[in-house]
Amino acid sequence: MNTQVAAQTLLSRERQEARQFSISSRQHIKKALLKRYDTLTEAAEKAGLSYARLMATIAGRESNFTAIEALQSELGLTNEQVLEFWPLVRRWPRKERQVS
């Protein structure tokens, strides 16, 4: 029984370290999501995105604002990191459009 408790404690500690993983480039986002959620499919589901949209945003093929906002909130990215990782985004955070 003690080995099971020790294994759970170790797993819990590893997950805490994964959540504190330093993200210094867009390529680290995938690694951070894998450490936090174990699979990218689960990460996409938790973020409310399709797998294809998540992967395209991480790869830089898309600069989808909804996906970027989801990644920012899931991983705690700063506004400066968003602008650095997705250079096609000119301003962040976005200003909401008002309909008149």
Side-chain angles (χ1 to χ4, degrees), residues 47-92:
L49 302 168
S50 70
Y51 178 81
R53 178 70 30 106
L54 175 69
M55 295 310 294
T57 302
I58 292 172
R61 292 187 303 272
E62 290 184 7
S63 294
N64 182 283
F65 293 135
T66 305
I68 293 171
E69 286 172 351
L71 287 170
Q72 184 179 28
S73 67
E74 287 294 318
L75 299 174
L77 300 174
T78 64
N79 293 336
E80 291 78 23
Q81 284 177 310
V82 169
L83 291 171
E84 179 184 341
F85 298 165
W86 292 278
L88 295 177
V89 177
R90 293 183 183 167
R91 278 184 249 133
W92 196 263

